[in-house]
Amino acid sequence: MRIAVVAPSARFSEEAAERVTAIAARVQPEVEVHFHPQCFLTHNHFAGTDEARADALVEAANDPSFDAIWFARGGYGSCRIAEAALARLGPAARGKTWLGYSDAGFLLAGLYRAGFANLAHGPMPQDAMRDGGEAAIERALAWLAARSPAALEPGLEPGARHAAFNITVLGMLLGTPLEPDLEGHVLLIEEVSEHMYATDRALFHIAASPAMQRVAGIRLGRVSDVRPNDPDFGESAEMVVRHWCERYGIAYLGPADIGHDSANKVVPFGLLGSL
Amino acid sequence: MRIAVVAPSARFSEEAAERVTAIAARVQPEVEVHFHPQCFLTHNHFAGTDEARADALVEAANDPSFDAIWFARGGYGSCRIAEAALARLGPAARGKTWLGYSDAGFLLAGLYRAGFANLAHGPMPQDAMRDGGEAAIERALAWLAARSPAALEPGLEPGARHAAFNITVLGMLLGTPLEPDLEGHVLLIEEVSEHMYATDRALFHIAASPAMQRVAGIRLGRVSDVRPNDPDFGESAEMVVRHWCERYGIAYLGPADIGHDSANKVVPFGLLGSL
């Protein structure tokens, strides 16, 4: 199996790539993880210019010698290239497996909207730099190479459709050409490094959007590294999600084992049985 | 003239109220500024519970003895009460003048959607606490009491329709029951205390939304207290706005004299000639 890593968002590092290569050699020796040279470009905040990031994504996606596209990391930047890059994808792209989360959610959303069948929310190469990050990389590779059931978020239900997103990213793609139809889906959400008031506001935006009121329900992953609120916000992430779900008639279905951490489990988009 | 101040968002202070009262007594002695007791409540992040904030807003709005509703300050919180509170407004509310900005944009949006005619984006009582804030309060009162042309944003065009919003607030109300129809409007936007990457992302969300592509154009107010970006974002707010306007075919119409500061000018919603 050949996996191409591209970086449509923020800067990536050689060090993270070396760690991933070493882990892959040990746990999935039959897998080749190819880091596109674009991963190591830098342009301001980003892993290269918009053009360079889009071109690398399109090149790797349309190359039939790769079986999967693995997004290097999140941060910010994929919404700047997503719509135009996805329009350039050909048949070889459609057959591939795609994996990422956080800012990569803009791309997963657009791909899901376009009918791509093998998409998942889960660990990315940059997670190799986290405490305990080796387990995240092993989990991602186990899913990419072998569809290991142990890699999956444990609450996924056979026969149900799922999708997973960062809360801010989901809010920012609603109403845009990247928004997928999530009617009937169990929606798993998570957040990192935001003030609780901003998460509350983003959840108003999501829950008050008619399309989101057609999901089967919401499960809440980890909301971590919450920025200080002065005065204290006084409500936990679970209280906030329950509030907005109740307010707009969305079923709250409990916690989810996803988040910006090494324990982040894999959530395939769509019917669980289809992967 | 009687102006009711209510606080649908974050905590307000007695000190700001005293400053506003003193300024009003000096520059508009015929105006009574009544601070609803709810302004001084506190509940976590907010000026009282959702119920208390909504009840005060509805009570003041429906009281025919007041000519105007002046939102005390922004911060966060009005989206939690806006839809339900606006549904409780009667005929006396519709005839009033309404003034605020920042988080109060959720309410101005919903009121404009509901056809309220006398709404404006402009200084709030909390601005009395800013350096040079006295000028902002005098400007607001000059507009509320006398529709002083000197209070207006200088680029507003007679015969054109306008609206003004904080960028984050506008993004978070798109697609919700608070979103007004801004087709053909000159849209003035401003931002405060956000990372530039977050402003770029919010402008993707706004510009990529089909309803926003029907505005007459966008004018950019001040984007202030920009949070540090590591690495540097490398693009100014104007570059960011120009980028997204060009990308999605929206006219960029230049700078605007609004922002989270004492110089913030008044932008009446709708046809300038109608006020």
Side-chain angles (χ1 to χ4, degrees), chain A residues 4-263:
Chain A
V5 179
V6 295
S9 307
R11 295 181 180 187
F12 189 62
S13 71
E14 297 269 7
E15 185 183 0
E18 286 163 12
R19 289 192 189 194
V20 168
T21 300
I23 297 167
R26 182 169 54 73
V27 300
Q28 302 280 356
E30 80 289 2
V31 169
E32 178 195 346
V33 181
H34 174 76
F35 289 87
H36 191 290
Q38 172 268 322
C39 291
F40 310 111
L41 298 178
T42 64
H43 176 74
N44 297 331
H45 187 95
F46 308 110
T49 63
D50 288 354
E51 185 182 8
R53 302 197 316 284
D55 286 350
L57 172 60
V58 171
E59 178 194 326
N62 287 339
D63 183 340
S65 77
F66 291 116
D67 305 289
I69 302 292
W70 196 10
F71 298 120
R73 65 167 296 189
Y76 172 65
S78 70
C79 72
R80 291 170 64 110
I81 63 165
E83 189 181 354
L86 298 190
R88 296 162 59 195
L89 300 187
R94 198 167 280 269
K96 287 184 172 57
T97 296
W98 302 69
L99 179 64
Y101 73 109
S102 191
D103 190 68
F106 286 111
L107 289 158
L108 293 174
L111 290 162
Y112 196 53
R113 178 186 176 116
F116 283 58
N118 297 308
L119 312 172
H121 182 279
M124 296 185 288
Q126 179 72 16
D127 288 313
M129 306 301 289
R130 294 188 188 278
D131 280 348
E134 191 159 330
I137 301 304
E138 291 180 11
R139 187 181 313 117
L141 290 168
W143 186 75
L144 285 167
R147 293 292 188 271
S148 165
L152 298 178
E153 202 280 335
L156 303 183
E157 297 170 49
R161 285 176 292 168
H162 304 87
F165 287 100
N166 172 267
I167 289 171
T168 298
V169 168
L170 176 61
M172 290 293 159
L173 63 81
L174 294 181
T176 76
L178 301 176
E179 182 185 347
D181 181 1
L182 298 181
E183 182 169 354
H185 289 60
V186 176
L187 175 61
L188 289 76
I189 55 177
E190 59 83 41
E191 190 53 280
V192 67
S193 303
E194 296 287 347
H195 299 278
M196 192 59 76
Y197 82 83
T199 297
D200 192 66
R201 189 170 57 190
L203 285 163
F204 155 73
H205 178 48
I206 290 169
S209 295
M212 293 296 103
Q213 294 160 15
R214 295 192 287 270
V215 301
I218 285 178
R219 291 176 54 204
L220 177 63
R222 286 173 289 281
V223 175
S224 54
D225 183 30
V226 176
R227 296 292 161 89
N229 220 82
D230 181 24
D232 188 71
F233 195 73
E235 296 183 27
S236 68
E238 184 184 333
M239 290 167 72
V240 162
V241 171
R242 282 182 179 275
H243 168 85
W244 289 113
C245 281
E246 184 178 347
R247 172 70 184 77
Y248 284 104
I250 300 169
Y252 176 70
L253 303 175
D257 190 9
I258 63 170
H260 272 68
D261 51 47
S262 298

Side-chain angles (χ1 to χ4, degrees), chain B residues 250-262:
Chain B
I250 300 169
Y252 176 70
L253 303 175
D257 190 9
I258 63 169
H260 271 70
D261 51 48
S262 298

